[in-house]
Amino acid sequence: MSEIVLMYVKVFLVGGAICTIAQLLINYTKITAGKILVYFLLAGVFLRSIGLYQYLVDFAGAGATVPICGFGNLLAEGAIKGAKKSLFEGITGGICAAGMGIAAAIVFGYLFSLIFKSKSKKN
């Protein structure tokens, strides 16, 4: 029982820290949310390419894989594994590794767009 609680605490702390950093960047800089998203994705790619992100995944599990930097990690992992086989698989490996998540995002985004009506924000 205590192992499960400890894992939840680690997931919450790491995932919360990643989200806190993003929120601080939104609140205290003029960087747009889209740019922050790209920076976090690239941070995941960079940390995976130098071998550090796997330690974070091993420590925190979903706390490190669910945020957008985890998606960058997944793309880089697929590209690295593909590059060991051939140049073409190195180029397409990231998309192959993340294909199921990308497909799910597209399908569910489309389904929810059919169910709900979007409204513009009023400033």
Coordinates of all heavy atoms in Angstrom, one line a residue, residues 26-93:
I26 N 4.1 31.4 -18.2 CA 3.0 32.1 -18.7 C 2.7 33.4 -17.9 O 2.5 34.5 -18.4 CB 1.7 31.2 -18.7 CG1 1.8 30.1 -19.7 CG2 0.4 32.0 -18.9 CD1 0.8 29.1 -19.6
N27 N 2.8 33.3 -16.6 CA 2.5 34.4 -15.7 C 3.5 35.5 -15.7 O 3.2 36.7 -15.6 CB 2.2 34.0 -14.3 CG 1.0 33.2 -14.1 OD1 0.1 33.1 -15.0 ND2 0.8 32.6 -12.9
Y28 N 4.8 35.2 -15.7 CA 5.8 36.2 -15.5 C 6.7 36.5 -16.7 O 7.7 37.2 -16.6 CB 6.7 35.7 -14.3 CG 5.9 35.7 -13.1 CD1 5.6 34.5 -12.4 CD2 5.5 36.8 -12.5 CE1 4.9 34.4 -11.3 CE2 4.7 36.8 -11.3 CZ 4.5 35.6 -10.7 OH 3.7 35.5 -9.5
T29 N 6.4 35.9 -17.9 CA 7.1 36.3 -19.1 C 6.1 36.7 -20.2 O 4.9 36.5 -20.0 CB 8.0 35.1 -19.6 OG1 7.2 34.1 -20.0 CG2 9.0 34.6 -18.5
K30 N 6.6 37.1 -21.3 CA 5.8 37.5 -22.4 C 5.8 36.4 -23.4 O 5.3 36.5 -24.5 CB 6.2 38.8 -23.0 CG 6.0 40.0 -22.1 CD 6.2 41.3 -22.7 CE 6.0 42.4 -21.7 NZ 5.9 43.7 -22.3
I31 N 6.3 35.2 -23.0 CA 6.3 34.0 -24.0 C 4.9 33.5 -24.1 O 4.2 33.3 -23.1 CB 7.2 32.9 -23.4 CG1 8.6 33.5 -23.2 CG2 7.2 31.8 -24.4 CD1 9.5 32.5 -22.5
T32 N 4.4 33.3 -25.3 CA 3.1 32.8 -25.5 C 3.0 31.3 -25.2 O 4.0 30.6 -25.1 CB 2.7 33.0 -27.0 OG1 3.5 32.2 -27.8 CG2 2.7 34.4 -27.5
A33 N 1.8 30.9 -24.9 CA 1.5 29.5 -24.5 C 2.0 28.5 -25.6 O 2.5 27.5 -25.3 CB 0.1 29.3 -24.2
G34 N 1.8 28.9 -26.8 CA 2.2 28.0 -27.9 C 3.7 27.9 -28.0 O 4.2 26.7 -28.2
K35 N 4.5 28.9 -27.7 CA 5.9 28.8 -27.7 C 6.4 28.0 -26.5 O 7.3 27.2 -26.6 CB 6.6 30.2 -27.6 CG 6.5 30.9 -28.9 CD 7.2 32.3 -28.8 CE 7.1 33.0 -30.2 NZ 7.7 34.3 -30.1
I36 N 5.7 28.1 -25.4 CA 6.1 27.3 -24.2 C 5.8 25.9 -24.5 O 6.6 25.0 -24.1 CB 5.3 27.8 -22.9 CG1 5.7 29.2 -22.5 CG2 5.4 26.8 -21.8 CD1 4.8 29.9 -21.5
L37 N 4.7 25.6 -25.2 CA 4.4 24.2 -25.6 C 5.6 23.6 -26.4 O 6.0 22.5 -26.2 CB 3.1 24.2 -26.3 CG 2.6 22.8 -26.8 CD1 1.7 22.2 -25.7 CD2 1.9 23.0 -28.1
V38 N 6.0 24.4 -27.4 CA 7.1 23.9 -28.2 C 8.4 23.8 -27.5 O 9.1 22.8 -27.6 CB 7.3 24.9 -29.4 CG1 8.5 24.6 -30.2 CG2 6.1 24.9 -30.3
Y39 N 8.7 24.7 -26.6 CA 9.9 24.6 -25.8 C 9.9 23.4 -24.9 O 11.0 22.7 -24.8 CB 10.1 25.9 -24.9 CG 10.3 27.1 -25.7 CD1 10.0 28.4 -25.1 CD2 10.9 27.2 -26.9 CE1 10.2 29.5 -25.8 CE2 11.1 28.3 -27.6 CZ 10.8 29.5 -27.0 OH 11.0 30.7 -27.7
F40 N 8.8 23.1 -24.3 CA 8.7 21.9 -23.5 C 8.8 20.6 -24.3 O 9.5 19.6 -23.9 CB 7.4 21.9 -22.7 CG 7.5 22.6 -21.4 CD1 7.9 23.9 -21.3 CD2 7.2 22.0 -20.2 CE1 7.9 24.6 -20.2 CE2 7.3 22.7 -19.0 CZ 7.6 24.0 -19.0
L41 N 8.2 20.6 -25.5 CA 8.4 19.4 -26.4 C 9.9 19.2 -26.7 O 10.4 18.1 -26.7 CB 7.5 19.6 -27.6 CG 7.6 18.4 -28.5 CD1 6.2 17.9 -28.7 CD2 8.2 18.8 -29.9
L42 N 10.5 20.3 -27.1 CA 11.9 20.3 -27.5 C 12.8 19.9 -26.3 O 13.8 19.2 -26.5 CB 12.4 21.6 -28.1 CG 11.8 21.9 -29.5 CD1 12.2 23.3 -29.9 CD2 12.1 20.8 -30.5
A43 N 12.4 20.3 -25.1 CA 13.2 19.9 -23.9 C 13.1 18.4 -23.7 O 14.1 17.8 -23.3 CB 12.6 20.7 -22.7
G44 N 11.9 17.8 -23.9 CA 11.8 16.4 -23.8 C 12.6 15.7 -24.9 O 13.3 14.7 -24.5
V45 N 12.7 16.2 -26.1 CA 13.5 15.6 -27.1 C 15.0 15.7 -26.7 O 15.8 14.8 -26.8 CB 13.3 16.3 -28.5 CG1 14.3 15.9 -29.5 CG2 11.9 16.0 -29.0
F46 N 15.4 16.9 -26.3 CA 16.8 17.1 -25.9 C 17.2 16.2 -24.7 O 18.3 15.6 -24.8 CB 17.0 18.6 -25.6 CG 18.4 18.9 -25.1 CD1 19.5 18.9 -25.9 CD2 18.7 19.1 -23.7 CE1 20.8 19.1 -25.5 CE2 20.0 19.4 -23.3 CZ 21.0 19.4 -24.2
L47 N 16.4 16.2 -23.7 CA 16.7 15.4 -22.5 C 16.8 13.9 -22.9 O 17.6 13.1 -22.3 CB 15.7 15.6 -21.4 CG 15.8 17.0 -20.7 CD1 14.7 17.2 -19.7 CD2 17.2 17.2 -20.1
R48 N 15.9 13.4 -23.8 CA 16.0 12.0 -24.2 C 17.2 11.8 -25.0 O 17.9 10.7 -24.9 CB 14.7 11.7 -25.1 CG 14.8 10.3 -25.7 CD 14.8 9.2 -24.6 NE 14.7 7.9 -25.2 CZ 15.7 7.1 -25.3 NH1 16.9 7.4 -24.8 NH2 15.6 5.9 -25.8
S49 N 17.6 12.7 -25.9 CA 18.8 12.6 -26.7 C 20.1 12.5 -25.9 O 21.0 11.8 -26.4 CB 18.9 13.7 -27.8 OG 19.2 14.9 -27.2
I50 N 20.1 13.1 -24.8 CA 21.3 13.0 -24.0 C 21.2 11.9 -22.9 O 22.1 11.8 -22.0 CB 21.8 14.3 -23.4 CG1 20.7 14.9 -22.5 CG2 22.1 15.3 -24.5 CD1 21.1 16.2 -21.7
G51 N 20.0 11.2 -22.9 CA 19.8 10.1 -21.9 C 19.3 10.4 -20.6 O 19.3 9.6 -19.7
L52 N 18.9 11.7 -20.3 CA 18.5 12.0 -19.0 C 17.0 11.8 -18.7 O 16.6 11.6 -17.6 CB 18.8 13.5 -18.7 CG 20.3 13.8 -18.6 CD1 20.5 15.3 -18.3 CD2 20.9 13.0 -17.5
Y53 N 16.2 11.9 -19.8 CA 14.7 11.8 -19.6 C 14.3 10.5 -19.0 O 13.3 10.4 -18.3 CB 13.9 12.2 -20.8 CG 12.6 12.7 -20.5 CD1 12.4 14.1 -20.2 CD2 11.5 11.9 -20.5 CE1 11.2 14.6 -19.9 CE2 10.2 12.4 -20.2 CZ 10.1 13.7 -19.9 OH 8.8 14.2 -19.6
Q54 N 15.0 9.4 -19.4 CA 14.6 8.1 -19.0 C 14.7 7.9 -17.5 O 13.9 7.2 -16.9 CB 15.4 7.0 -19.7 CG 15.0 5.6 -19.4 CD 13.5 5.4 -19.9 OE1 13.2 5.8 -21.0 NE2 12.7 4.7 -19.1
Y55 N 15.6 8.6 -16.8 CA 15.7 8.6 -15.4 C 14.5 9.2 -14.8 O 14.0 8.7 -13.8 CB 17.0 9.3 -14.9 CG 18.3 8.6 -15.3 CD1 19.1 9.3 -16.2 CD2 18.6 7.4 -14.8 CE1 20.3 8.6 -16.5 CE2 19.8 6.7 -15.1 CZ 20.6 7.4 -16.0 OH 21.8 6.8 -16.4
L56 N 14.0 10.3 -15.4 CA 12.8 10.9 -14.9 C 11.6 10.0 -15.1 O 10.7 9.9 -14.2 CB 12.6 12.3 -15.6 CG 11.6 13.3 -15.0 CD1 12.0 13.6 -13.6 CD2 11.6 14.5 -15.9
V57 N 11.5 9.3 -16.2 CA 10.4 8.4 -16.4 C 10.4 7.3 -15.5 O 9.4 6.8 -14.9 CB 10.4 7.9 -17.9 CG1 9.4 6.8 -18.1 CG2 10.1 9.0 -18.9
D58 N 11.6 6.7 -15.2 CA 11.8 5.6 -14.3 C 11.4 6.0 -12.9 O 10.8 5.3 -12.1 CB 13.2 5.1 -14.3 CG 13.6 4.4 -15.6 OD1 12.6 4.0 -16.3 OD2 14.8 4.3 -15.8
F59 N 11.7 7.3 -12.5 CA 11.3 7.8 -11.2 C 9.9 8.1 -11.0 O 9.2 7.7 -10.0 CB 12.2 9.0 -10.9 CG 11.9 9.7 -9.6 CD1 12.3 9.1 -8.4 CD2 11.1 10.9 -9.5 CE1 12.0 9.7 -7.1 CE2 10.8 11.5 -8.3 CZ 11.2 10.9 -7.1
A60 N 9.3 8.8 -12.0 CA 7.9 9.4 -11.8 C 6.9 8.8 -12.7 O 5.7 9.1 -12.6 CB 8.0 10.9 -12.0
G61 N 7.2 7.9 -13.6 CA 6.2 7.3 -14.5 C 5.4 8.3 -15.2 O 5.9 9.1 -16.0
A62 N 4.0 8.2 -15.0 CA 3.1 9.1 -15.7 C 3.4 10.6 -15.4 O 3.0 11.5 -16.2 CB 1.7 8.8 -15.4
G63 N 4.0 10.9 -14.3 CA 4.3 12.3 -14.0 C 5.2 12.9 -15.0 O 5.3 14.1 -15.2
A64 N 6.0 12.1 -15.7 CA 7.0 12.5 -16.7 C 6.5 12.2 -18.1 O 6.9 12.9 -19.0 CB 8.3 11.9 -16.4
T65 N 5.7 11.2 -18.3 CA 5.3 10.8 -19.7 C 4.0 11.5 -20.1 O 3.8 11.7 -21.3 CB 5.0 9.3 -19.8 OG1 4.0 8.9 -18.9 CG2 6.3 8.6 -19.5
V66 N 3.1 12.0 -19.2 CA 1.9 12.6 -19.7 C 2.1 14.1 -20.1 O 1.5 14.4 -21.1 CB 0.8 12.5 -18.5 CG1 -0.4 13.3 -18.9 CG2 0.4 11.0 -18.3
P67 N 2.9 14.9 -19.5 CA 3.1 16.3 -20.0 C 3.7 16.3 -21.4 O 4.2 15.3 -21.9 CB 4.0 16.9 -19.0 CG 3.9 16.1 -17.8 CD 3.6 14.7 -18.2
I68 N 3.6 17.4 -22.1 CA 4.1 17.5 -23.5 C 5.5 17.2 -23.6 O 6.0 16.7 -24.7 CB 3.7 18.9 -24.0 CG1 3.9 18.9 -25.6 CG2 4.6 20.0 -23.4 CD1 2.9 18.1 -26.3
C69 N 6.4 17.4 -22.6 CA 7.8 17.0 -22.7 C 7.9 15.5 -22.8 O 8.8 14.9 -23.4 CB 8.6 17.6 -21.6 SG 7.9 17.3 -20.0
G70 N 6.9 14.7 -22.3 CA 6.9 13.3 -22.4 C 6.6 12.9 -23.9 O 7.1 11.9 -24.3
F71 N 5.8 13.7 -24.6 CA 5.6 13.4 -26.0 C 6.9 13.6 -26.8 O 7.2 12.9 -27.7 CB 4.5 14.3 -26.5 CG 4.1 14.1 -27.9 CD1 3.5 12.9 -28.3 CD2 4.3 15.0 -28.9 CE1 3.1 12.7 -29.6 CE2 4.0 14.8 -30.2 CZ 3.4 13.6 -30.6
G72 N 7.6 14.7 -26.4 CA 8.9 14.9 -27.1 C 9.9 13.8 -26.8 O 10.6 13.3 -27.7
N73 N 9.8 13.2 -25.6 CA 10.7 12.1 -25.3 C 10.3 10.9 -26.2 O 11.1 10.2 -26.7 CB 10.5 11.8 -23.8 CG 11.1 10.5 -23.4 OD1 12.3 10.2 -23.6 ND2 10.3 9.6 -22.8
L74 N 9.0 10.7 -26.3 CA 8.5 9.5 -27.1 C 8.9 9.7 -28.6 O 9.4 8.7 -29.2 CB 7.0 9.4 -27.0 CG 6.3 8.3 -27.7 CD1 6.8 7.0 -27.2 CD2 4.8 8.4 -27.6
L75 N 8.8 10.9 -29.1 CA 9.2 11.1 -30.5 C 10.7 10.9 -30.7 O 11.1 10.2 -31.7 CB 8.9 12.6 -30.9 CG 7.4 12.9 -31.1 CD1 7.3 14.4 -31.4 CD2 6.9 12.2 -32.3
A76 N 11.5 11.4 -29.8 CA 13.0 11.2 -29.9 C 13.3 9.7 -29.7 O 14.2 9.2 -30.4 CB 13.7 12.0 -28.8
E77 N 12.7 9.0 -28.8 CA 12.9 7.6 -28.6 C 12.7 6.8 -29.9 O 13.5 5.9 -30.3 CB 12.1 7.1 -27.5 CG 12.3 5.6 -27.1 CD 11.5 5.2 -25.9 OE1 11.0 6.0 -25.2 OE2 11.4 3.9 -25.8
G78 N 11.6 7.1 -30.5 CA 11.2 6.4 -31.8 C 12.2 6.7 -32.9 O 12.6 5.8 -33.6
A79 N 12.7 7.9 -33.0 CA 13.6 8.3 -34.0 C 15.0 7.7 -33.7 O 15.7 7.2 -34.7 CB 13.8 9.9 -34.0
I80 N 15.4 7.6 -32.5 CA 16.7 7.0 -32.1 C 16.7 5.5 -32.4 O 17.6 5.0 -33.0 CB 17.0 7.3 -30.6 CG1 17.3 8.7 -30.4 CG2 18.2 6.4 -30.2 CD1 17.4 9.2 -29.0
K81 N 15.6 4.8 -32.1 CA 15.5 3.4 -32.4 C 15.4 3.2 -33.9 O 16.1 2.2 -34.4 CB 14.3 2.8 -31.7 CG 14.4 2.6 -30.2 CD 13.2 2.0 -29.6 CE 13.3 1.8 -28.1 NZ 12.1 1.3 -27.5
G82 N 14.7 4.0 -34.6 CA 14.6 3.9 -36.0 C 15.9 4.1 -36.7 O 16.3 3.5 -37.7
A83 N 16.7 5.1 -36.2 CA 18.0 5.5 -36.8 C 19.0 4.3 -36.8 O 19.9 4.3 -37.6 CB 18.5 6.7 -36.2
K84 N 18.8 3.5 -35.8 CA 19.7 2.3 -35.7 C 19.5 1.3 -36.8 O 20.4 0.6 -37.2 CB 19.5 1.6 -34.3 CG 20.0 2.4 -33.2 CD 19.7 1.7 -31.8 CE 20.2 2.6 -30.7 NZ 19.9 2.0 -29.4
K85 N 18.3 1.4 -37.4 CA 18.0 0.4 -38.5 C 18.3 1.1 -39.9 O 19.0 0.5 -40.7 CB 16.5 0.1 -38.5 CG 16.2 -0.7 -37.3 CD 14.7 -1.0 -37.2 CE 14.3 -1.7 -35.9 NZ 12.9 -1.9 -35.8
S86 N 17.8 2.3 -40.1 CA 18.1 3.0 -41.4 C 17.8 4.4 -41.3 O 17.2 4.9 -40.3 CB 17.3 2.4 -42.5 OG 15.9 2.7 -42.4
L87 N 18.3 5.2 -42.2 CA 18.0 6.6 -42.2 C 16.5 6.9 -42.4 O 16.0 7.8 -41.6 CB 18.8 7.3 -43.4 CG 18.5 8.8 -43.6 CD1 19.0 9.6 -42.3 CD2 19.2 9.3 -44.8
F88 N 15.8 6.2 -43.2 CA 14.4 6.4 -43.4 C 13.6 6.1 -42.1 O 12.7 6.9 -41.7 CB 13.9 5.5 -44.5 CG 12.4 5.7 -44.8 CD1 11.9 6.9 -45.4 CD2 11.5 4.7 -44.4 CE1 10.5 7.0 -45.6 CE2 10.1 4.9 -44.6 CZ 9.7 6.1 -45.2
E89 N 14.0 5.0 -41.4 CA 13.3 4.7 -40.2 C 13.7 5.7 -39.1 O 12.9 5.9 -38.2 CB 13.6 3.3 -39.8 CG 12.9 2.3 -40.6 CD 13.0 0.9 -40.1 OE1 12.9 0.7 -38.9 OE2 13.1 0.0 -40.9
G90 N 14.8 6.3 -39.2 CA 15.2 7.4 -38.3 C 14.3 8.6 -38.4 O 14.0 9.3 -37.5
I91 N 13.9 8.9 -39.7 CA 13.1 10.0 -40.0 C 11.6 9.7 -39.6 O 11.0 10.6 -39.0 CB 13.2 10.4 -41.5 CG1 14.6 10.9 -41.8 CG2 12.1 11.5 -41.8 CD1 14.9 11.0 -43.3
T92 N 11.2 8.5 -39.8 CA 9.8 8.2 -39.6 C 9.5 7.5 -38.2 O 8.4 7.4 -37.8 CB 9.2 7.2 -40.6 OG1 10.0 6.0 -40.6 CG2 9.3 7.9 -42.0
G93 N 10.6 7.2 -37.5 CA 10.5 6.5 -36.2 C 9.7 7.2 -35.2 O 8.9 6.6 -34.4

